[in-house]
Amino acid sequence: MKTVFAHVDCNNFYASCEKLFRPDLRNTPIVVLSNNDGCVVARSKEAKALGIKMGVPVHQIKSEIRQYGIQLFSSNYTLYGDMSHRVMVTLEALAPRVDVYSIDEAFLDITGIDKAVSFADFGRQVKDTVYQNVGLPVCVGIAPTRTLAKLANYAAKKFAATKGVVDLTDPARQRRLLAIVPVEEVWGVGRKLSVKLQAMGITNALQLADTDLATLRKRFSVVLERTARELNGTACIAWDDAPSPKKQIMCSRSFGQPLQSLPDLEKAVAHYATRATEKLRGGQQFAGELIVFIRTNPFRTNVAQYSKSASVKLVNSTQDSRLIVQQALGQLRSIYRSGYDYAKAGVMLSELVDETGLQEDLFEPLGTENLGRAKSERLMAVMDEINRKSRATLCMARAAGPTAYVMRREHLSPAYTTDRAALPKVR
Ligand SMILES: [Mg+2]
């Protein structure tokens, strides 16, 4: 049977999470800010309509903020991580296999589901159920390959007439869409590669799909050849080789057997953190934030349920496995409770930057005065390793003690869903 994937992606995820708990801001433009309230990392649709660009430093939009009453939020990953779980748990109840791709995206394997319901109806069901259960809007793209499903979702978001669901299983429809999608929107192509492709006259996705495969392999890579095959409807990118998401890297899996003990979970989380960091280095990126989550199986009845996530901001963005594993284990220990059958754990790296983004952080004031020497030495070793491994221009170590995590987060919303003291108030 031919495979079919549904790609589910939350709309303006961070901004939608913030709005969900602030119905008073329903029609107000809002933006979510990065580490230290520096740059815009998410925009509500009203803010997008005002022309606020992704990644713009907040000081550059001061006049717009005043003029249009744009509301600012510091990124609140405790909230987003928890809302993400709720979305994923809902999706897991709807499809036999769910691959979580990033904090707000997942691929559902829905091969054969059309025997029971049309693909488009299934897509609408997913959209309605997530909205009903979690309160967040999503779009759904359905296609025989993950690359096409991503493009179907792009169309679902871009064209209002689709009402957020696009069934791209029909080959003629695939070609019509590919012809109007810029090549840089194709999964895994990105800006750098698209410049080279454009120089060859390949500007839209259809042209890439129609390029001779041997030429693509010779001039670029077997990876791009596979992408072209996927655009032609042949699923051939293995899940482990899927391109890294631009904004977060997620590594999470259900356990074959439920785990109970902390050491067992530590092993799993250390493994996921290592995997995630490998992907990070593979994409020449550095992470500024880390989230760990653990949960029991919500579909097992008559057992105690527990689900918790914790996040930590890394003052120095890093791509060092040791530092990230250490931080991940620290977060795990803070949320672990004994007496549960854990079914799943995961590690997510976010606030991803490349080397250019990294340099800015180096000039922030240091907070090392309270840190022990051993810790500082260890950090130096980490820094040395980063310098040896890559051409990173790091020149001083900063330890990761508690004081170092005090970030500027002036516009932080409450942890509505994970802290009893922060429950939203109904007036
Ligand atoms: Mg999204």
Side-chain angles (χ1 to χ4, degrees):
M1 205 179 323
K2 226 172 171 269
T3 58
V4 179
F5 295 99
H7 176 251
V8 181
D9 186 7
C10 299
N11 306 348
N12 315 319
F13 180 62
Y14 302 162
S16 297
C17 288
E18 296 292 354
K19 281 205 170 197
L20 183 58
F21 294 93
R22 291 292 304 273
D24 55 312
L25 300 179
R26 199 168 19 234
N27 301 315
T28 308
I30 73 163
V31 298
V32 178
L33 306 174
S34 64
N35 265 352
N36 280 323
D37 294 343
C39 301
V40 170
V41 293
R43 307 153 295 162
S44 70
K45 66 171 189 294
E46 300 82 6
K48 283 182 183 171
L50 289 172
I52 305 297
K53 293 271 176 289
M54 194 70 171
V56 67
V58 71
H59 64 83
Q60 280 179 23
I61 55 165
K62 268 192 182 142
S63 65
E64 286 92 336
I65 292 170
R66 218 173 311 115
Q67 189 181 349
Y68 302 110
I70 300 172
Q71 296 289 310
L72 309 180
F73 287 87
S74 303
S75 42
N76 182 349
Y77 282 98
T78 311
L79 175 64
Y80 312 149
D82 188 62
M83 297 309 291
S84 171
H85 295 173
R86 294 171 189 222
V87 172
M88 299 312 168
V89 167
T90 300
L91 296 179
E92 279 163 2
L94 293 169
R97 195 178 135 208
V98 176
D99 289 323
V100 177
Y101 181 59
S102 72
I103 196 166
D104 70 333
E105 282 174 74
F107 289 98
L108 280 48
D109 187 339
I110 56 167
T111 306
I113 220 163
D114 55 326
K115 292 209 176 82
V117 56
S118 79
F119 287 124
D121 279 344
F122 176 78
R124 285 186 278 272
Q125 204 178 311
V126 168
K127 188 175 147 66
D128 294 346
T129 310
V130 173
Y131 193 74
Q132 183 84 38
N133 290 8
V134 191
L136 293 176
V138 301
C139 284
V140 184
I142 296 166
T145 70
R146 291 194 182 93
T147 304
L148 284 171
K150 280 277 256 186
L151 285 185
N153 206 318
Y154 167 85
K157 285 215 163 66
K158 197 167 174 74
F159 306 112
T162 64
K163 297 209 174 78
V165 176
V166 168
D167 170 7
L168 202 62
T169 49
D170 171 39
R173 205 164 182 217
Q174 288 163 18
R175 292 186 68 83
R176 279 206 302 279
L177 176 65
L178 294 187
I180 56 169
V181 175
V183 72
E184 65 264 27
E185 295 296 337
V186 174
W187 198 30
V189 169
R191 207 165 1 114
K192 255 194 204 155
L193 201 50
S194 72
V195 172
K196 283 193 204 163
L197 288 168
Q198 276 157 15
M200 290 169 66
I202 300 169
T203 60
N204 67 45
L206 186 62
Q207 289 167 321
L208 178 60
D210 287 344
T211 303
D212 173 56
L213 294 173
T215 306
L216 288 178
R217 189 175 44 221
K218 213 162 50 199
R219 288 218 199 162
F220 297 92
S221 64
V222 68
V223 179
L224 193 63
E225 181 198 346
R226 281 197 207 123
T227 298
R229 281 184 199 276
E230 290 235 332
L231 289 175
N232 284 299
T234 307
C236 58
I237 296 182
W239 181 234
D240 276 344
D241 298 332
S244 288
K246 288 186 200 117
K247 287 195 287 183
Q248 314 93 14
I249 290 174
M250 181 83 135
C251 199
S252 123
R253 214 155 282 175
S254 298
F255 308 134
Q257 289 285 322
L259 302 179
Q260 287 96 14
S261 77
L262 182 58
D264 282 347
L265 282 169
E266 283 174 342
K267 241 179 266 168
V269 165
H271 175 71
Y272 298 149
T274 308
R275 258 316 268 140
T277 315
E278 282 165 11
K279 288 190 197 175
L280 187 70
R281 283 195 296 265
Q284 268 129 45
Q285 287 174 307
F286 297 77
E289 178 139 22
L290 174 154
I291 302 178
V292 174
F293 73 85
I294 48 176
R295 69 163 178 255
T296 51
N297 181 351
F299 305 111
R300 269 182 68 193
T301 46
N302 303 324
V303 296
Q305 295 289 342
Y306 181 73
S307 165
K308 192 102 181 158
S309 65
S311 66
V312 62
K313 296 239 180 202
L314 308 165
V315 170
N316 266 345
S317 298
T318 183
Q319 57 170 205
D320 188 289
S321 300
R322 291 176 301 174
L323 190 58
I324 286 174
V325 168
Q326 178 200 341
Q327 292 294 335
L329 293 177
Q331 295 309 304
L332 169 67
R333 287 171 198 134
S334 77
I335 55 177
Y336 173 80
R337 302 288 177 272
S338 61
Y340 294 100
D341 280 350
Y342 290 99
K344 193 169 192 173
V347 172
M348 199 189 79
L349 303 175
S350 61
E351 301 259 345
L352 304 187
V353 292
D354 58 16
E355 272 179 64
T356 30
L358 194 67
Q359 300 203 2
E360 289 172 22
D361 286 350
L362 286 171
F363 300 104
E364 286 169 15
L366 303 181
T368 52
E369 56 278 6
N370 299 326
L371 299 164
R373 185 148 162 237
K375 206 162 200 175
S376 154
E377 273 174 12
R378 197 164 67 227
L379 253 292
M380 286 297 272
V382 169
M383 289 299 173
D384 290 343
E385 193 179 9
I386 292 177
N387 281 334
R388 210 171 34 244
K389 274 194 187 153
S390 64
R391 290 174 295 103
T393 50
L394 299 181
C395 56
M396 60 183 85
R398 199 158 15 132
T403 50
Y405 294 126
V406 181
M407 305 292 295
R408 231 180 103 194
R409 299 170 84 181
E410 283 175 8
H411 309 282
L412 186 65
S413 53
Y416 299 108
T417 57
T418 50
D419 180 0
R420 195 175 289 255
L423 285 171
K425 291 179 184 64
V426 180
R427 276 176 272 249

